[in-house]
């Protein structure tokens, strides 16, 4: 159920909608539409077989009015500049919605990540850092993991950058291993944040969590921890899925047990012979709350009208197209947007950076409590704006974020 609209087109449409509510002039919109800086490098890497291949890498720095650029680096054959710009822009809004003092950035390297050996991936990463070392830094631009990059990749970035600078610069990346200054609670943060937003949205709709039936698309990091927390809250997790399909049990699934099965078999499909469901059918299944937590462009103009959930909480980035947003808003479905719903991850990344700056490590309980406080506050700020203007939650989140960014810009001055 995909759509051909490009991520950058989606990002611009969302910005323009918020800009019209804020009555922004065209010049201000121009500033926000364009990234402040785009860095493109061509990285020669010696492969294991002795040949040399050249990979193109991007770092897009969208906006730093509120603080250093922040955002992941993905390794994927389909990375393209248009997408990286959109992702960088969303990071600007995401950091502003939860009110953390970062701007937005994103990076990517066009490469067959799945097929690189660890040694090739390490050489590629270190070379990339060598080429962009002057453009990143704890007070400049702070990368993080994304698709096909992980804590190990961040450890290499930290090491290479520190080697170049001559001191251990822990704050240059987040998502590091705990042993190298990573934060406790980071692994669960995004999923738990999704669950917290789900809980707050349910309160607004007077849905008792103990009776709530929740369908989740995906069963990776975000989906699993959201499911685990919601299960703790007493919800019925009636469906989960992965790229091979999904399982559906109206009596509810135990996510911890399903995960044990997935770890053994590589998929949720086949778990206890529970009824199979396709990813398409899962989205329109009979549930109270739907959590798309896999990939983008899943809820589109084609299926939005068939959605039965009263609340959609976006664990994934960009799972709902602008066309679907309009249909859902007219139907009275609340969509808790990605920039709010999945911001638990970047919030704990910010806490990781704070701990690195403090040279002190917080306990997991403190990290997650502080994350929850930030998310609940942001949730109600967004909800209040949505009521004030009679707009959907995504536009409200954008209004809040864009306003915070332009307030910072106006106070600093354009120069
Ligand atoms: P992950 O790789 O751990 O999990 C992805 C899940 O999606 C897997 O279960 C996979 O099987 C499933 N999937 C892949 N293709 C699918 C398809 N065609 N149909 C249905 N399911 C499919 O990734 P993740 O970290 O859980 O990220 C999921 C989403 O959340 C992504 O959009 C990511 O950008 C976003 N996100 C993640 C974080 C984080 O901290 N991990 C933070 C913010 C946003």
């Amino acid at each position: 159920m995909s759509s051909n609209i490009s991520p950058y087109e989606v990002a611009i449409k969302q910005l323009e909608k918020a800009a019209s509510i804020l009555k922004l002039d065209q010049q201000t919109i121009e500033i926000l539409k364009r990234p402040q800086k785009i860095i493109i490098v061509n990285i020669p890497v010696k492969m294991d077989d002795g040949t040399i291949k050249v990979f193109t890498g991007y770092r897009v720095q969208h906006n730093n009015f509120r603080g250093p650029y922040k955002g992941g680096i993905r390794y994927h054959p389909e990375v393209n500049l248009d997408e990286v710009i959109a992702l960088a822009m969303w990071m600007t809004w995401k950091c502003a919605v939860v009110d953390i003092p970062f701007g937005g950035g994103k990076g990517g390297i066009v490469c067959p990540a799945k097929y690189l050996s660890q040694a090739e991936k390490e050489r590629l990463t270190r070379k990339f850092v060598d080429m962009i070392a002057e453009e990143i830094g704890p007070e400049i631009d702070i990368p993080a993991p994304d698709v096909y990059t992980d804590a190990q990749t961040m450890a290499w970035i930290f090491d290479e950058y520190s080697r170049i600078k001559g001191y251990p610069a822990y704050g240059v990346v987040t998502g590091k291993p705990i042993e190298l200054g990573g934060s406790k609670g980071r692994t669960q943060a995004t999923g738990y944040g999704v669950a917290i937003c789900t809980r707050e949205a349910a309160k607004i709709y007077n849905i008792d969590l103990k009776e709530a039936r929740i369908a989740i698309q995906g069963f990776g990091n975000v989906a699993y921890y959201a499911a685990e927390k919601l299960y703790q809250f007493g919800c019925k997790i009636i469906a989960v899925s992965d790229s091979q399909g999904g399982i559906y049990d109206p009596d509810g699934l135990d996510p911890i047990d399903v995960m044990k099965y997935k770890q053994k078999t590589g998929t949720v499909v086949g778990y206890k012979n529970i009824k199979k469901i396709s990813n398409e059918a899962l989205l329109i299944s009979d549930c109270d709350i739907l959590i798309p937590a896999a990939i983008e462009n899943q809820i589109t103009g084609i299926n939005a009208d068939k959605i039965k959930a009263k609340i959609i909480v976006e664990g994934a980035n960009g799972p709902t197209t602008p066309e679907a947003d309009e249909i859902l808003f007219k139907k009275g479905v609340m969509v808790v947007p990605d920039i709010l719903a999945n911001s638990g991850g970047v919030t704990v990344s910010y806490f990781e950076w704070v701990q690195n700056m403090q040279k002190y490590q917080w306990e997991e309980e403190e990290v997650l409590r502080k994350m929850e406080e930030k998310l609940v506050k942001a949730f109600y700020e967004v909800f209040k704006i949505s009521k004030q203007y009679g707009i959907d939650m995504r536009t409200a989140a954008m209004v809040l974020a864009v306003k915070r960014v332009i307030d910072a810009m106006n106070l600093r001055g354009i120069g």
Side-chain angles (χ1 to χ4, degrees):
M1 196 70 64
S2 70
S3 142
N4 289 328
I5 184 161
S6 87
Y8 187 62
E9 284 173 277
V10 175
I12 294 298
K13 271 185 193 232
Q14 292 169 351
L15 171 62
E16 284 172 344
K17 209 166 164 184
S20 79
I21 289 161
L22 287 165
K23 300 194 174 35
L24 296 189
D25 59 59
Q26 204 49 44
Q27 297 168 49
T28 307
I29 299 173
E30 271 321 297
I31 295 173
L32 300 178
K33 262 187 189 173
R34 300 180 197 205
Q36 291 170 335
K37 208 185 235 193
I38 298 176
I39 301 142
I40 304 178
V41 290
N42 289 305
I43 316 156
V45 179
K46 195 173 264 177
M47 309 305 283
D48 290 346
D49 65 4
T51 59
I52 290 175
K53 288 219 171 97
V54 183
F55 300 103
T56 300
Y58 303 106
R59 185 71 189 169
V60 173
Q61 297 175 332
H62 174 254
N63 190 288
N64 68 352
F65 292 147
R66 288 174 42 86
Y69 307 103
K70 179 90 194 87
I73 296 184
R74 62 175 57 175
Y75 290 179
H76 198 273
E78 279 158 33
V79 162
N80 64 78
L81 190 54
D82 180 277
E83 179 191 59
V84 183
I85 295 172
L87 293 166
M89 196 188 289
W90 280 319
M91 285 307 297
T92 302
W93 313 137
K94 196 179 282 192
C95 294
V97 164
V98 275
D99 204 11
I100 56 180
F102 286 148
K106 199 84 184 186
I109 301 180
V110 190
C111 65
K114 243 187 185 176
Y115 304 102
L116 295 178
S117 70
Q118 275 296 88
E120 287 168 342
K121 213 168 163 181
E122 177 173 354
R123 288 196 288 275
L124 172 67
T125 304
R126 289 187 184 275
K127 260 297 183 44
F128 184 47
V129 175
D130 292 347
M131 294 173 89
I132 64 166
E134 292 313 311
E135 311 285 355
I136 60 172
E139 306 283 0
I140 303 171
D141 183 352
I142 306 144
D146 198 76
V147 178
Y148 286 121
T149 55
D150 55 16
Q152 176 61 73
T153 323
M154 299 306 112
W156 293 327
I157 296 179
F158 157 70
D159 183 70
E160 190 66 16
Y161 182 83
S162 300
R163 196 188 55 74
I164 292 166
K165 296 291 166 185
Y167 68 97
Y170 288 99
V172 68
V173 274
T174 60
K176 298 180 290 297
I178 302 262
E179 300 84 339
L180 277 182
S183 179
K184 292 181 181 169
R186 175 63 189 90
T187 310
Q188 311 90 304
T190 307
Y192 281 10
V194 169
I196 288 160
C197 287
T198 306
R199 182 190 68 200
E200 298 310 313
K203 280 184 200 160
I204 288 164
Y205 275 68
N206 283 325
I207 296 176
D208 179 357
L209 279 189
K210 300 241 160 6
E211 283 167 20
R213 295 163 309 148
I214 304 196
I216 304 181
Q217 188 192 36
F219 207 54
N221 173 273
V222 178
Y224 172 70
Y225 284 107
E228 189 212 76
K229 186 53 94 185
L230 288 164
Y231 186 68
Q232 267 176 31
F233 290 161
C235 303
K236 253 190 204 164
I237 311 297
I238 61 161
V240 296
S241 70
D242 54 42
S243 54
Q244 299 186 41
I247 49 174
Y248 178 86
D249 184 350
D251 294 329
L253 299 155
D254 172 351
I256 300 163
D257 205 43
V258 178
M259 184 45 97
K260 281 186 197 146
Y261 178 83
K262 186 180 157 96
Q263 276 166 347
K264 265 191 262 155
T265 63
T267 175
V268 298
V269 179
Y271 171 75
K272 285 190 176 167
N273 289 324
I274 284 181
K275 191 178 155 198
K276 277 205 234 169
I277 187 169
S278 68
N279 270 294
E280 289 78 13
L282 181 149
L283 296 170
I284 56 171
S285 63
D286 191 13
C287 63
D288 302 302
I289 299 170
L290 173 66
I291 303 182
I295 52 172
E296 66 282 358
N297 289 345
Q298 294 300 290
I299 304 170
T300 67
I302 299 164
N303 61 0
D305 203 33
K306 301 189 194 109
I307 297 236
K308 298 188 187 69
K310 298 173 201 72
I311 298 168
I312 297 174
V313 185
E314 295 185 331
N317 283 322
T320 313
T321 66
E323 200 185 350
D325 265 338
E326 298 206 351
I327 298 170
L328 294 165
F329 185 57
K330 282 193 195 121
K331 263 167 69 111
V333 177
M334 175 191 272
V335 180
V336 185
D338 44 11
I339 58 169
L340 170 63
N342 68 31
S343 63
V346 76
T347 303
V348 172
S349 291
Y350 163 57
F351 294 154
E352 177 175 334
W353 180 82
V354 172
Q355 292 169 76
N356 295 156
M357 296 322 224
Q358 291 180 332
K359 309 216 172 350
Y360 188 75
Q361 193 165 53
W362 307 348
E363 288 310 320
E364 183 176 304
E365 185 277 327
E366 181 177 4
V367 172
L368 294 174
R369 179 173 41 79
K370 284 193 158 86
M371 188 265 293
E372 178 163 353
E373 277 166 21
K374 277 222 161 280
L375 251 64
V376 171
K377 183 163 181 279
F379 182 92
Y380 285 101
E381 282 170 337
V382 171
F383 181 64
K384 194 171 155 207
I385 293 172
S386 82
K387 289 288 129 195
Q388 185 184 343
Y389 291 100
I391 53 179
D392 60 83
M393 290 281 282
R394 185 183 322 282
T395 313
M398 285 292 296
V399 165
L400 176 64
V402 172
K403 179 155 186 336
R404 282 184 174 153
V405 172
I406 53 173
D407 283 351
M409 176 182 92
N410 290 334
L411 285 164
R412 292 175 70 152
I414 290 293

